[in-house]
Amino acid sequence: GYDADNTLLCTSLCCDELARRLEDDFVNVYGNNFNLGGLSGFPFAGNTGFGAMSAHIPDDGYCLLVHGPHVGVDKDGTVGKVEREGIALVDNCCGSAIAASGYLQGITDGGAMITTKIQEFTDFQQGAVQELILPHGKRLTDAENRMLELPYALYDSQDLLMRDIIATGAGGTKGGLAVLGGIQINTGPDTPDYFHPLRFDYMNNKGEILEDMLPLIMGD
């Protein structure tokens, strides 16, 4: 089985400090993690990062990869907002995702400004998040609750990207790879966080799924 001695924990979660709560829970079991993630939880370390991570897996050992976006829910049940320790303002969460959603809404509603600017390296991750969410414009426009649908749209784009990265680098994962993907739900400082699992696959070092373990944790 997977344990702290034979397993490297790898995460792709948002930069937001609230995302560390879930990460810390796994670190307490498996030890320090290799981080692939950036804004909104996208695996911005890419193929190079995944290859470096694979080289750090213990000999004949395994990798547990945990990835996904996060979303806040405040004490009143508002999705996309969350209370933070020491801050009176009820803040956006995930700020990067909500900004990207606003950018996309400007395009789908026809209000986006024409610009000749190319991607700026000083904010390239946010630019990438905005581009990667573009295919979900109609989905978000048609959603009954845009903020509720947003993390699921983000997850679908992230999952597609992660599958491509894994397919490229699976050969280096030694004993095998367990991939747990889903949505982290952050609440206020005095209430617990949650995780909605959407994928839990056990894969060999050829990138082949040997077992879909999601039903085991969902009680199906």
Side-chain angles (χ1 to χ4, degrees):
Y2 282 43
D3 57 42
D5 294 326
N6 67 10
T7 302
L8 175 63
L9 172 65
C10 178
T11 61
S12 185
L13 304 170
C14 186
C15 306
D16 193 322
E17 70 275 11
L18 295 182
R20 306 286 74 75
R21 295 178 183 175
L22 176 65
E23 196 168 71
D24 288 346
D25 286 342
F26 281 100
V27 166
N28 288 336
V29 177
Y30 294 102
N32 289 335
N33 62 296
F34 190 106
N35 178 34
L36 297 177
L39 289 179
S40 291
F42 279 93
F44 284 108
N47 295 328
T48 298
F50 190 88
M53 178 279 296
S54 298
H56 300 173
I57 297 172
D59 292 339
D60 300 318
Y62 308 95
C63 174
L64 171 60
L65 171 56
V66 182
H67 77 93
H70 71 132
V71 63
V73 180
D74 71 11
K75 64 181 180 181
D76 296 323
T78 303
V79 179
K81 296 286 187 178
V82 73
E83 297 86 4
R84 295 178 185 266
E85 190 78 45
I87 302 176
L89 176 70
V90 178
D91 196 16
N92 287 341
C93 181
C94 167
S96 167
I98 292 172
S101 172
Y103 167 82
L104 177 57
Q105 191 166 15
I107 293 173
T108 54
D109 291 351
M113 295 180 60
I114 297 174
T115 177
T116 57
K117 292 176 63 177
I118 61 172
Q119 179 64 50
E120 294 181 355
F121 280 102
T122 53
D123 204 17
F124 80 94
Q125 284 197 11
Q126 184 60 26
V129 173
Q130 293 173 174
E131 295 300 318
L132 289 163
I133 202 176
L134 282 177
H136 302 296
K138 187 176 188 304
R139 171 182 178 176
L140 292 174
T141 297
D142 293 345
E144 183 176 342
N145 185 327
R146 187 180 183 93
M147 288 298 102
L148 184 60
E149 188 66 23
L150 178 58
Y152 291 94
L154 286 165
Y155 174 81
D156 287 344
S157 288
Q158 290 179 20
D159 185 56
L160 185 66
L161 188 57
M162 188 63 77
R163 287 176 188 272
D164 188 60
I165 290 170
I166 291 171
T168 300
T173 54
K174 300 179 182 177
L177 173 68
V179 181
L180 176 62
I183 296 169
Q184 185 178 177
I185 302 166
N186 298 125
T187 66
D190 300 322
T191 49
D193 285 353
Y194 300 89
F195 184 73
H196 181 195
L198 297 171
R199 175 190 183 190
F200 192 23
D201 292 332
Y202 176 60
M203 310 175 75
N204 62 18
N205 61 9
K206 297 179 182 178
E208 299 167 337
I209 297 175
L210 301 181
E211 184 179 1
D212 175 6
M213 299 184 291
L214 189 61
L216 298 178
I217 60 174
M218 297 298 287
D220 296 342

